[in-house]
Amino acid sequence: MVITDTQNAKVVYERPESLTDISTHYCPGCTHGTAHRLVAEVLDEMGRREHSIGVASVGCSVFSYNYFDMDFVQAAHGRAPAMATGVKRVFPDRTVYTYQGDGDLASIGMAEIMHAAGRGENITVVFLNNAIYGMTGGQMAPTTLPGMKTTSSPLGRDVETQGMPLKMSEILATLDATAYVVRRSLHNPAEIRKAKKALRTAFEVQERGLGFSMVELLSSCPTNWGINPLESLTFIEDKMVPAYPLGDYKVLEAVKAMKVKGA
Amino acid sequence: MAEAALRAGCEAYFGYPITPQTELLEHMAARMPELGRAFVQAESEVAAINMVYGAACTGKRVMTSSSSPGVSLMMEGLSYIAGTEVPAVIIDVMRGGPGLGNIAPAQADYHQMVHGGGHGDYKQIVLAPASVQEAIDLTVLAFDLAEKYRSIAVVLADGSLGQMMEPAELPPMQPLKKGAPEWAVTGEPGRPRRQLTSIYLQPEDEETTNIRLLRRWMEIEANEVRYQGYYLEDAEIVLVGFGTSGRVALSAVRQARAEGIRAGLLRPISLSPFPTEAVKAAAQSAKAMLVVEMNAGQMLTDVKLAVQGACPVDFYGRMGGVVPLPDEVLAEIRRLHANPPADLNGHTRAAWLDRLELVRGGN
Ligand SMILES: Cc1ncc(C[n+]2csc(CCOP(=O)(O)OP(=O)(O)O)c2C)c(N)n1
Ligand code: SF4
């Protein structure tokens, strides 16, 4: 069938302005791409693309600055929240956000994230938790599930010697200065829509100067989990969600009172 | 130095308390908010330098200050700042080490600051003040040079300067610059996006960056060498010392002159770029050179490389936070004057350690 009536065709899906026309280097089925798109859509909808400064971290998303069509800086491993603090303190009216993986944020960058949150830095943190070190080839992260096999826990994470996963949303929610800390997932369309709404809320929190906001996104790493993309989404649902319950861990009253447009 | 920094237009300060530079942080804590500028007491020096890194990417004048152990923690950030080619000013008030060491004045961060510290091929400007006035002036200069060359500029001082009372004049308050350099990441609407990064995955691209950094460094070497000479015209015994040890050496040189010994001093102000040519020139007519430092002879290597055997180069240093007395240095000048060594191949430090034991025993 040849479609001739393009006049009345309606665009229902297009590249957000906040994303560049460059294909990403992410593996097939990796939800980093989904997260990028959500952030881009939210910044588009808020009209903040040209007022944003992103801070890329070290991990698979190290080149995220190539994919976002906006000003960006690239931090050292784990230091993105400190770098974002430096940027935000001299440009308080810009939308400043970090995009970090779980090795970056919950291991080497633990001090920087805790203290940025503890200071109530008015920045937004997009935190991709895929329970593994993706970029370096699948080593154990502080977020790796008990018993989960990785290249550096070949027999499975032994909780006796390697401890239990760090639950960053729960931890950061205990800090008085945080405004909005939630966990969402990217494993199905319904959850993705909720994730987008949370991202919108987080950026609105920053826009209104309410303080530190973080959205943790349960994310897939088919390559290093050693399963296919579809199985990866099931893995998130069946294994990660029980270990990392989705929900709102910290929502200030002022945030609850906000009227947030969203998906 | 803190007041000089903010008068030079420093718009953001990030630091972590450590003796002997905490007064600097405290001054900033009071003054920066007063002026509506950014001040953050960071959770560590690691965070402080990365805050500097972020703020530096916006093209503003930014700085941190610390002392030796804290500066060690900043090496990662310094390497990233160098690799991203953004300007930043660091004040290092050195103390005795290694390890936790002590809080007494030392100069043992010379290697760390002059010869690298952080990973990768980069150089940074290092300026060493020997008086309160010079500490003020070099702080202002550090901001200008950092900005001009998109480089790190370090003011390398020690605690004795901080405890010194001497008259000094502060610069006038500079108005803050409007606008941002064309590379700065500012989130400014209406122009193509800007990005600052230190990753160049292709080795050829990284090499291109290395070459650019090196060419810029050669320009710095050509234009920014600074030193001061004292009584060098007819000097037979030429001392080389920087900062506080340069100051002590000058007292000793003056006493030696009073005794009729033709001594002189070359005091490097820019340790990096090092005044290689000036040292080389001074060596041509000297019977001997004496490097005086508050470390185990870290600058000694650079002096020897400059002298290239034109005259014997001897060494006297105190370590661990001990400041040499002018008398100790004078004794060294007398010794070299009485018996100018024919050469000192390989024995400079061993012989010095033997003499040092005698001095310490006599204390
Ligand atoms: C100081 C330092 N240590 C180690 C590394 C190596 N490294 C690069 S990425 C990475 C882990 C990234 O994992 P994560 O943050 O979970 O992100 P992902 O790749 O899974 O998206 C490590 C350890 C580095 N770049 N710098
Ligand atoms: S290694 Fe994992 S996290 Fe990285 S791009 Fe591939 S699937 Fe995604």
Side-chain angles (χ1 to χ4, degrees), chain A residues 25-32 60 130 132 134-135 220-224:
Chain A
H25 68 287
Y26 299 117
C27 306
C30 173
T31 46
H32 263 303
C60 281
N130 58 13
I132 205 155
M135 190 194 207
S220 68
C221 180
T223 301
N224 289 304

Side-chain angles (χ1 to χ4, degrees), chain B residues 316-334:
Chain B
Y316 187 76
R318 297 301 305 255
M319 297 168 290
V322 180
V323 181
L325 296 172
D327 279 352
E328 293 169 48
V329 180
L330 180 61
E332 292 283 307
I333 298 174
R334 286 188 189 129

Side-chain angles (χ1 to χ4, degrees), chain A residues 32 58-61 77 79 100-105 108 128 130 132-136 141, chain B residues 76 80:
Chain A
H32 263 303
V58 177
C60 281
S61 59
H77 196 20
R79 318 291 178 227
Q100 302 176 259
D102 47 304
D104 191 85
L105 181 141
I108 194 166
L128 273 267
N130 58 13
I132 205 155
Y133 282 10
M135 190 194 207
T136 41
Chain B
E76 177 198 50
Y80 276 77

Side-chain angles (χ1 to χ4, degrees), chain A residues 50 65 71 79 94 119, chain B residues 186-187 191 193-195:
Chain A
E50 288 201 304
Y65 60 82
D71 277 16
R79 318 291 178 227
R94 299 294 193 264
R119 285 189 303 269
Chain B
T186 54
R191 56 149 172 79
R193 69 187 167 133
R194 291 180 186 166
Q195 301 167 332

Side-chain angles (χ1 to χ4, degrees), chain B residues 267-329:
Chain B
R267 181 171 65 83
I269 295 171
S270 61
L271 300 178
S272 173
F274 192 72
T276 306
E277 290 306 319
V279 171
K280 189 175 171 185
Q284 305 311 313
S285 50
K287 291 215 170 93
M289 269 198 172
L290 177 71
V291 177
V292 183
E293 297 183 75
M294 282 144 59
N295 60 45
Q298 298 191 14
M299 183 178 66
L300 173 64
T301 319
D302 288 327
V303 173
K304 283 190 164 180
L305 279 173
V307 170
Q308 302 217 350
C311 75
V313 180
D314 211 341
F315 177 71
Y316 187 76
R318 297 301 305 255
M319 297 168 290
V322 180
V323 181
L325 296 172
D327 279 352
E328 293 169 48
V329 180

Side-chain angles (χ1 to χ4, degrees), chain A residues 13-220:
Chain A
Y13 193 80
E14 63 184 337
R15 182 180 292 281
E17 255 194 82
S18 289
L19 285 185
T20 56
D21 195 3
I22 296 174
S23 24
T24 72
H25 68 287
Y26 299 117
C27 306
C30 173
T31 46
H32 263 303
T34 318
H36 279 31
R37 183 169 176 107
L38 297 185
V39 171
E41 285 180 359
V42 165
L43 291 175
D44 275 9
E45 287 161 20
M46 290 174 65
R48 293 302 292 173
R49 180 180 78 85
E50 288 201 304
H51 306 267
S52 290
I53 302 177
V55 183
S57 65
V58 177
C60 281
S61 59
V62 67
F63 289 122
S64 54
Y65 60 82
N66 283 333
Y67 312 137
F68 287 107
D69 192 2
M70 59 189 70
D71 277 16
F72 244 84
V73 295
Q74 164 63 50
H77 196 20
R79 318 291 178 227
M83 208 177 173
T85 299
V87 174
K88 185 73 181 183
R89 292 293 179 119
V90 287
F91 276 108
D93 61 342
R94 299 294 193 264
T95 300
V96 178
Y97 67 99
T98 69
Y99 185 106
Q100 302 176 259
D102 47 304
D104 191 85
L105 181 141
S107 189
I108 194 166
M110 186 56 131
E112 285 75 16
I113 190 66
M114 288 297 283
H115 286 274
R119 285 189 303 269
E121 271 327 313
N122 194 31
I123 59 171
T124 301
V125 173
V126 181
F127 169 37
L128 273 267
N129 179 1
N130 58 13
I132 205 155
Y133 282 10
M135 190 194 207
T136 41
Q139 296 77 26
M140 189 181 71
T143 41
T144 295
L145 302 176
M148 190 170 162
K149 284 189 180 150
T150 69
T151 59
S152 58
S153 58
L155 302 177
R157 179 174 185 163
D158 173 6
V159 297
E160 288 300 318
T161 56
Q162 291 157 327
M164 294 291 285
L166 294 181
K167 297 181 180 169
M168 291 310 298
S169 289
E170 286 85 334
I171 293 171
L172 293 178
T174 64
L175 302 178
D176 289 338
T178 53
Y180 183 69
V181 179
V182 301
R183 183 182 292 120
R184 298 288 186 268
S185 178
L186 299 174
H187 69 270
N188 68 34
E191 296 302 333
I192 290 172
R193 265 196 289 279
K194 287 186 205 160
K196 180 174 170 187
K197 181 140 197 230
L199 285 166
R200 175 74 190 244
T201 307
F203 281 109
E204 293 280 356
V205 164
Q206 178 177 169
E207 183 79 2
R208 290 161 210 220
L210 294 176
F212 181 89
S213 54
M214 180 177 90
V215 180
E216 174 174 350
L217 298 170
L218 300 185
S219 189
S220 68

